[in-house]
Amino acid sequence: MSSFMRTNKTDNYNFIEQNRFNHNAVVQPLLTDLYQITMAYAYWKSGKTDNVAVFDLFFRTNPFHGEFTIFAGLEECLKFLDNFRYSDSDMEYLKQTLDANIEDEFYEYLRNLTAKDITLYAIEEGSVAFPRVPIIKIEGPLIIAQLLETTLLTLVNYASLMATNSARYRMVAGKNIQLLEFGLRRAQGPDGGLSASKYAYIGGFDGTSNVLAGKLFNIPVKGTHAHAYITSFSGISDLKTRVLRHKQTGITGDLLETALKHRNNLSNVLDISTEESSEGELAAMVSFAIAFPDVFMALVDTYDVKRSGLLNFCAVALALNDLGYRAVGIRIDSGDLAYLSCLARETFETIAERFKIPWFNQLTIVASNDINEDTILSLNEQGHKIDCFGIGTHLVTCQRQPALGCVYKLVEINEQARIKLSQDVEKVTMPGSKNAYRLYSTDGHALIDLLQKVTESPPEVGQKVLCRHPFQESKRAYVIPSRVEPLYKVYWKDGRICQDLPTLEQVREKVQRSLKTVRNDHKRTLNPTPYKVAVSDDLYNFIHDLWLQNAPIGELS
Ligand SMILES: Nc1ncnc2c1ncn2[C@@H]1O[C@H](COP(=O)(O)OP(=O)(O)OP(=O)(O)O)[C@@H](O)[C@H]1O
Ligand SMILES: O=P(O)(O)OC[C@H]1O[C@H](OP(=O)(O)OP(=O)(O)O)[C@H](O)[C@@H]1O
Ligand SMILES: O=C(O)c1cccnc1
Ligand SMILES: [Mg+2]
């Protein structure tokens, strides 16, 4: 499909490469909750500086009533670790703000603190992830590991939610529909808007209207125009220029005059009275076509799609054709999008045949206006002729579920496993440092994710492995994997990023590859089948022994 109103893609600044290790200035050690720093002092004061901790970062339920999540935000977490250093002004601020009794040596300690003793394990960015399987595991000195919590969570939660949301839109739209993110104006602030554009692209959108996101992340930027442009013209007299040079011959033509001629003719062909169509709209379209004759795209719903917008658009497109240009298409932003898109396509087909202009059939129809996953599903059911959806509010605010709910839990300290009990079994943490594996079937589908104690040897291809439900004793299964994928890689160790990080484009491809390994019944929108997450027999027994040791025995009286 032709790309409309697009910036010059050959001007490839490759900002991703240049900015890989540049840092989002907002992401800094003070972007945290106060209690992390007060805990750090209390840990320090109680002599826990040398304690070594393991924290798991994971979510408990998939968003949007789905059964999968896309993990995103890893690169930003790594940049954060790389830049973790309190500045002099941070220290001053903390000294003024925290309890006056805090000893000066603690500030000295903080001033010299970096993430060099931390090891970060993670699953690949863009991978499908499932509840309770840690997506990031942090090992290292307790104080710094604790201080990372809030920032890592804020970097992963929204990124993963957005990537998942956009991947879901991509799934319902199918691969042949163009998806554009139009959400900046409705996003949760400027930083939310930028993140939304970035992670929408990772999740499968084709472009964004957000120009800064285009510049920073090398995402294609695209767009049409607003109703304001159309309504700023009240009639033909508003047109200051009406001429355009022929694309090939360079001879000047009067675009307005030609468009008016075509409009009269079309009014008969399409059986629409010119009386009902807006002159202001025609003038606006002519002027936009003069400005962008090669990529002319027009908003057709300002007054009435059927009686005005379509007629005016087709008249201007035919006039452009006379001058050697091909129009790109229309945007519909209100009304019944199924009906209006079909009407527009029929009109284009009639004109293509009548005037022997085959490309008129292929004009792009963009639809916008409060689109969400359900609207797309419903439009698919009804039948529509939309080529491209422009989606803002529902996408970027994740209106259906505005937070993912990733948590960061201590699972081990000084090689002693820790468990957090809860009345709610689902909320009991999985103690100890663990490894995670994805086991695949012969047909290449992911069967189950298996958590083991790090001391266990990994499952082997062709060997039967007992997979147990972490909490329900009777739920277990033997699995003979055809492939075993260790889910964790070390991404940060000894003070540096220790993997070649993928580009945004590669992460975007990874999302689609990873989703392909997930069975369709896990991905369907209505009542999807839960994907199984299991623990090894050893880990099962370990969890339950520790649970018993830690659960107080009540007394009935
Ligand atoms: N054929 C359709 N099937 C299901 N939903 C649709 C269809 N066409 C449009 N929609 C959705 O219905 C809603 C219509 O919004 P709304 O009630 O604000 O009407 P509108 O067309 O925008 O009206 P107005 O002209 O007053 O702006 C939007 O969320 C839109 O995405
Ligand atoms: O509906 P969303 O999914 O949030 O998509 C973005 C919306 O933003 C624009 O409307 P707006 O009324 O802000 O400006 P306009 O005058 O360009 O229509 C656009 O026309 C879409 O309707
Ligand atoms: O380019 C567009 O059509 C656009 C951009 C942002 C919001 N709504 C529409
Ligand atoms: Mg609107």
Side-chain angles (χ1 to χ4, degrees), residues 186 227 333 369:
R186 309 262 152 69
H227 292 104
D333 189 47
N369 187 24

Side-chain angles (χ1 to χ4, degrees), residues 149-425:
E149 170 176 2
T150 307
T151 324
L152 293 183
L153 286 173
T154 195
L155 288 172
V156 169
N157 261 316
Y158 181 66
S160 302
L161 189 73
M162 257 311 294
T164 310
N165 203 18
S166 33
R168 294 177 65 90
Y169 277 83
R170 171 52 71 201
M171 278 185 349
V172 295
K175 62 180 190 316
N176 297 325
I177 297 269
Q178 219 185 36
L179 292 178
L180 299 181
E181 178 269 315
F182 281 174
L184 179 59
R185 62 187 63 197
R186 309 262 152 69
Q188 266 79 352
D191 198 69
L194 261 186
S195 299
S197 306
K198 177 175 179 181
Y199 293 104
Y201 186 64
I202 280 182
F205 271 59
D206 298 295
T208 177
S209 59
N210 180 346
V211 184
L212 184 59
K215 178 184 174 192
L216 292 178
F217 311 127
N218 200 25
I219 300 172
V221 285
K222 298 189 182 187
T224 67
H225 60 237
H227 292 104
Y229 191 82
I230 303 283
T231 53
S232 74
F233 289 79
S234 45
I236 282 167
S237 58
D238 282 346
L239 266 183
K240 296 282 175 281
T241 147
R242 40 160 77 187
V243 292
L244 179 65
R245 284 184 187 282
H246 191 286
K247 189 172 165 76
Q248 282 86 35
T249 64
I251 297 169
T252 306
D254 187 324
L255 194 69
L256 175 66
E257 199 182 289
T258 328
L260 282 168
K261 188 189 76 194
H262 281 298
R263 194 167 72 152
N264 277 335
N265 189 14
L266 281 176
S267 137
N268 295 326
V269 175
L270 303 175
D271 195 19
I272 303 167
S273 150
T274 52
E275 300 290 292
E276 292 176 71
S277 61
S278 158
E279 296 262 294
E281 185 179 57
L282 180 71
M285 288 186 188
V286 166
S287 75
F288 210 69
I290 288 171
F292 297 103
D294 276 316
V295 283
F296 175 58
M297 182 89 202
L299 187 55
V300 293
D301 72 312
T302 307
Y303 302 111
D304 188 305
V305 175
K306 192 172 176 176
R307 293 193 177 77
S308 184
L310 262 182
L311 183 67
N312 282 332
F313 168 79
C314 292
V316 176
L318 286 175
L320 275 177
N321 181 61
D322 291 346
L323 291 172
Y325 301 93
R326 282 188 185 189
V328 169
I330 58 167
R331 176 160 75 98
I332 310 171
D333 189 47
S334 58
D336 184 328
L337 299 173
Y339 167 73
L340 291 172
S341 67
C342 292
L343 174 80
R345 182 66 70 213
E346 263 172 43
T347 308
F348 297 156
E349 283 166 359
T350 307
I351 294 173
E353 205 179 307
R354 185 69 171 245
F355 297 88
K356 305 279 175 276
I357 310 173
W359 59 261
F360 231 88
N361 275 331
Q362 265 89 54
L363 283 167
T364 295
I365 301 176
V366 182
S368 53
N369 187 24
D370 247 348
I371 308 280
N372 61 23
E373 230 186 293
D374 288 340
T375 324
I376 299 176
L377 281 169
S378 166
L379 289 168
N380 289 347
E381 264 177 33
Q382 298 165 57
H384 68 80
K385 298 289 179 188
I386 296 161
D387 305 292
C388 172
F389 287 106
I391 311 178
T393 314
H394 286 278
L395 173 70
V396 305
T397 65
C398 299
Q399 209 151 22
R400 196 164 168 203
Q401 182 175 327
L404 175 58
C406 273
V407 294
Y408 186 81
K409 296 290 171 191
L410 180 73
V411 292
E412 192 177 290
I413 185 121
N414 297 334
E415 298 182 355
Q416 299 292 306
R418 286 291 186 266
I419 190 166
K420 160 81 182 68
L421 299 182
S422 168
Q423 298 287 62
D424 179 356
V425 172

